[in-house]
Amino acid sequence: MRAWYKVARADEALVIVGRRQRKSDGQTSSIAVIRGGGAVVNPITQRAETLSLRARQIMVQPTAQSIQGVTVDVTGVALVKVGSDNQSIARAAERFVSQDKAIEVFTTEQLEGALRGVVATLSVEQLMRDRQELSDQIATLIKSDLDEQGLVLDSFQIQGITDENGYVHALGAEEVSKVKRQAEIARIDAERQIKAREIATSEETLVEQTQFDKNQAAAASDVGEARAEAEQAEALARARAEQGVLMQQAENRQAQLDADVKRVADAAQYEEQKRADARAYSRMKDAEAAADVQRREADISEYEQQRKADADAYVQIKAAEADAQKAEREAEAIRVQAQAEADAARARAQAEADAIRLAGEARAAAIRAEAEALKQNQEAVLAQRSLEVLVPMMTEFAKGYATVGSVTVLAGSGDGGASSHMAGEAAMGMRAMFDTVREATGIDLSSVIQGTSVGRGIATGQQQEAPAPAEPQE
């Protein structure tokens, strides 16, 4: 029994002859078809055969004539297989079960015949252009013939169409020429676009270079301005430092003078020294301002020469841009020069202001010194002032006698006679004047004169007693 059991492969169908099987239309057939399974086959009453269900690739290369009478060779590839239903397998088994190669021969003949018939209705241009339509027409024509044989056409594709007379090549040459012309046009357009792009790039580069030059000039201008500002700040800091030094020196000198000043005359000398220091400081500031102005003018001149040289070099490349840049540089030079002049004017004004301030401080110091001397030696100062006033007073007093032409003395007493009388009158007048000054100011002129005389006498005696200084030995 095991030897009687037959099983078909996955791509095969088992066809049993002598075994009845009901068809889908209700009729019975003496051929049974089994797929995907097995069955017991009685070798005495039945016969079992296998039919391959795999797809078969068939190459067709018929020679046909188009509707134009042009003989062409058409190459096509078809995939053909036995139908999957039992009726198709049964029909194919009736015709091809004992001769499997016959399927390919039959299909090739059917495809070549259908291909010649369809090519005869089309032009070569249509064949070359509508290959898919040609394939569809052939599949439609042979479908019914293949169904009767239990076969199915899975696909059919035209691989190539050629001829021995060069007709197809001529058509291709025209297309190739057209394509070449289009390619040449495309190449020319591409070169034109590349050239236009290069020109645009050159223009952009020129614009960027111009902008770069402008930025470089602006940067140079900023650097020059920053350098000028730095120099100005340095000069200002130096002036402030020197001013601080001078102020410290002035304070030190003032302290020294304050320590040394004990009389009014010293205060006047201190004031004169202050004025001299103020004048010296003013001259120094003027000299520094003039030097700074000269240095600024030299820097401006050098800067203008450099800018002018750069402008001349750039004029050789592009005159219009050079003119514009030259105008900008000249405007920048004018601005820098104006800035330098303004800085010099500010420095000069600052120096003058410092000189005026120092002169005022000197006068104030002198006044303070005189006030301090007056405070410490009030009586001596008042005595000195009284003695200075006494001479003019006596002069005015004597003028009264100058207007008298002659004096007659009627009687006199004493040894001196008239002269003694006149001297007594003068003494009485001076005494009356001293009394008036004492009552008005509280200053006793007679005591002042007497104290001054005594002081001078003592000073003269000390000078006479003091030993003479030794002469230097050679």
Side-chain angles (χ1 to χ4, degrees), residues 154-283:
D154 277 351
S155 67
F156 179 74
Q157 296 294 332
I158 301 297
Q159 287 188 333
I161 300 174
T162 59
D163 70 311
E164 297 179 354
N165 299 321
Y167 187 86
V168 176
H169 180 71
L171 292 177
E174 182 180 356
E175 290 297 326
V176 169
S177 177
K178 181 179 179 181
V179 171
K180 286 183 178 180
R181 288 196 301 271
Q182 292 178 353
E184 184 67 18
I185 293 173
R187 184 184 64 79
I188 294 173
D189 291 340
E191 290 179 355
R192 184 183 297 110
Q193 292 178 0
I194 292 173
K195 189 66 176 177
R197 183 58 183 169
E198 290 178 353
I199 294 173
T201 303
S202 299
E203 292 178 354
E204 293 176 358
T205 303
L206 183 59
V207 172
E208 292 177 356
Q209 183 64 33
T210 302
Q211 186 64 32
F212 174 76
D213 293 339
K214 291 182 179 179
N215 294 337
Q216 191 175 13
S221 175
D222 294 338
V223 169
E225 184 176 356
R227 185 183 295 109
E229 292 178 355
E231 292 176 356
Q232 179 182 358
E234 181 180 1
L236 182 59
R238 186 169 58 253
R240 289 178 177 176
E242 292 175 355
Q243 180 181 356
V245 172
L246 292 176
M247 288 294 295
Q248 185 64 36
Q249 293 177 354
E251 291 177 358
N252 295 336
R253 187 177 295 276
Q254 179 179 356
Q256 184 65 31
L257 290 176
D258 289 340
D260 296 339
V261 170
K262 294 181 179 180
R263 292 179 300 181
V264 178
D266 293 337
Q269 182 180 0
Y270 179 78
E271 181 179 2
E272 184 63 23
Q273 183 64 35
K274 281 286 188 177
R275 290 176 181 175
D277 292 340
R279 288 193 297 272
Y281 182 79
S282 177
R283 287 194 298 271

Side-chain angles (χ1 to χ4, degrees), residues 62 73 98 100 109 120 136 150 154 159 169 197 202 226 268 351 366 404 440:
D73 297 327
S98 60
D100 190 69
E109 293 177 352
D136 294 341
D154 277 351
Q159 287 188 333
H169 180 71
R197 183 58 183 169
S202 299
V404 178

